[in-house]
Amino acid sequence: MQAPSVGGVMLPRGNGETIRLSRGASLTDFAEKINANPASLVAVMMNLGEMVTATQSVSDETLQLLAEEMNYNVQIVSPEEEDRELLESFDIEFGEDQGSEEDLVVRPPVVTVMGHVDHGKTRLLDAIRKTNVVAGEAGGITQHIGAYQVTTEVNGEERAITFIDTPGHEAFTAMRARGAKSTDIAILVVAANDGVMPQTVEALNHAKAADVPIVVAVNKIDVEGADPTKVRGQLTEYGLVAEEYGGDTMFVDISAKQGLNIDSLLEAVILTADATLDLRANPKQAAQGIAIESRLDRGRGAVATVLVQRGTLRVGDTMVVGDAYGRVRAMLDDSGKNVTEAGPSMPVQVLGLTNVPGAGDNFIVVDEDRTARQIAEKRAARERNAAFAKRARRVSLEDLDKVLKAGEVQQLNLIIKGDASGSVEALESSLLQLDVGEEVDIRVLHRGVGAVTESDIDLAMGSDAIVIGFNVRAAGRAQQMAEREGVDVRYYSVIYQAIEEIEAALKGMLKPEYEEVELGTAEIREIFKSSKLGNIAGVVIRSGEVRRNAKARLIRDGKVVAENLTIDGLRRFKDDVTEIREGFEGGINLGNFNDIKVGDIIATYELREKPRV
Ligand code: GDP
């Protein structure tokens, strides 16, 4: 069969071989796999009616289409698969309990509270926590670590429940998007005085999509006009039928404010778990789980809350969480107490990690520090590559010229690092809301919790980005690297200050500010008349140096008498020169300008773009 040719370039057609590409790969990645020129693949796509650039990340469908045209079989590998393969190469399996049936013991359900804004999610999480404070217990200061565990008596048995205490489905979905399953049961909070609202439906759909059973908490029954029956009716339309109506969803009427029926709600969670889920785990294996929340603490370094899903995590264990790793130096529970071990469904705050993992990152305990480090490094490298790939279009120098001439969009690329995920997100969203006109676009290429690292500088170099450190500094050699490579790293500790400065920088980008820098002055001693060039000033350089093509003004008796002149010609004796320094004599021709007198001063200057500080 004839190979397709584009513009006379022969393309390497395949014979149905399989090539593997990461999800979101670009035509350049594709070209690399089959040893072709990326530009020729761009042309192939154009023939197929799709305009894509070589470096832009494309959809699964586009990759499939291209593969078909080129006679390859493409296998698209998701990030989760890639990670699974990485762990497999170390003989580690994530997600399955080891051992046999006998090794499995019942574990507490993990619950997320979801629902429409203002329906009482936060209040409910507080109320549940309060019912469980063991009175007078030493060291029992409640701490927000991102999750907590409570116990409740069901059928004469003490049963534990773990609550993820970031309410709302955003965290839930963000984790799920990363392939992490954190939640066993969702409590859907619906205010009885307000009924089913848009976010109620949204939350419900998220839970259903994740195949998570729902317990409905009909809240605010203390409020006048509360109508719990109406809520039941409304939810029937979405497939949640209350038990008392013959369905299989438990509805509990509560008041988070008055602490009413909280026990019944907890009981409903346990009963639902027992009826629909088989929540068991092996506590004896090496611990595995996921990170729920993390931040950088000034005194203690990286602090991460992890949820143990199987196995038992112990102080001294070597763990890897996303691209962070380390030996567990200490563990704290949700009351701030030191604990030495944590079994299945237990949330603990872990100290001792090298850096801050992301929410939803999985964690595993491994035998050797070296393994942990290698896995973490491989993941970091992959993240970096993915970030590079995500980079908008790569504007080369010649492109940039064209883009600017065409007056197209200019883009300010940012990398944001901060001490907590909340502040990073807040800063990012405020920056993205900055309105600086049509011409400039802000793009956040990468964001994360932790110090500014060499890999951030790497990314900034490759994409002309500015790095923002919010309450963090550069780590290791990152600062030197930034200085060497001319990467702009800015540190802030107040959000509005960061926003103000970026806004100012953006406005500067729209209209560069220039400042005048004086170069040198020349005093006119004599005037020569040339038939060809007009008047030529015979000068002595009084200060600095005078350069050809520099801007100039003419000063007579201390007053500027002419502006916007140019040093058109510059001579020493008979030679054209580019500059004459202080103390030397020479001849200056100011082009068409001839109105000069002996004693006048020619002051030269240059316009320099003002550095933004
Ligand atoms: P969220 O946005 O879902 O987290 O809602 P909040 O927990 O912040 O609650 C929103 C408002 O409703 C707050 O003013 C709460 O005090 C109030 N609230 C929450 N639960 C109840 C309740 O059971 N009864 C009454 N009367 N008010 C409640």
Side-chain angles (χ1 to χ4, degrees), residues 196-228:
V196 171
M197 297 301 277
Q199 285 166 355
T200 316
V201 178
E202 221 175 284
L204 189 152
N205 287 335
H206 282 297
K208 276 193 181 160
D211 217 3
V212 169
I214 297 170
V215 171
V216 182
V218 182
N219 191 30
K220 305 201 187 185
I221 53 164
D222 59 292
V223 177
E224 221 187 277
D227 190 352

Side-chain angles (χ1 to χ4, degrees), residues 116-123 219-220 222-223 255-257:
H116 194 73
V117 65
D118 273 352
H119 279 197
K121 300 180 292 290
T122 313
R123 193 75 193 243
N219 191 30
K220 305 201 187 185
D222 59 292
V223 177
S255 164
K257 191 176 175 185

Side-chain angles (χ1 to χ4, degrees), residues 512-564:
E513 265 183 69
Y514 290 98
E515 64 184 350
E516 229 182 79
V517 179
E518 193 178 291
L519 293 177
T521 53
E523 183 188 330
I524 301 180
R525 290 280 188 78
E526 264 174 285
I527 294 170
F528 307 99
K529 293 195 194 305
S530 152
S531 53
K532 241 185 0 201
L533 299 171
N535 285 347
I536 296 184
V539 300
V540 60
I541 310 300
R542 284 288 178 220
S543 68
E545 60 181 37
V546 170
R547 287 187 212 141
R548 181 133 40 115
N549 295 329
K551 298 232 146 261
R553 56 174 63 98
L554 193 71
I555 298 165
R556 188 170 295 157
D557 302 324
K559 284 191 208 106
V560 176
V561 292
E563 278 279 14
N564 268 330

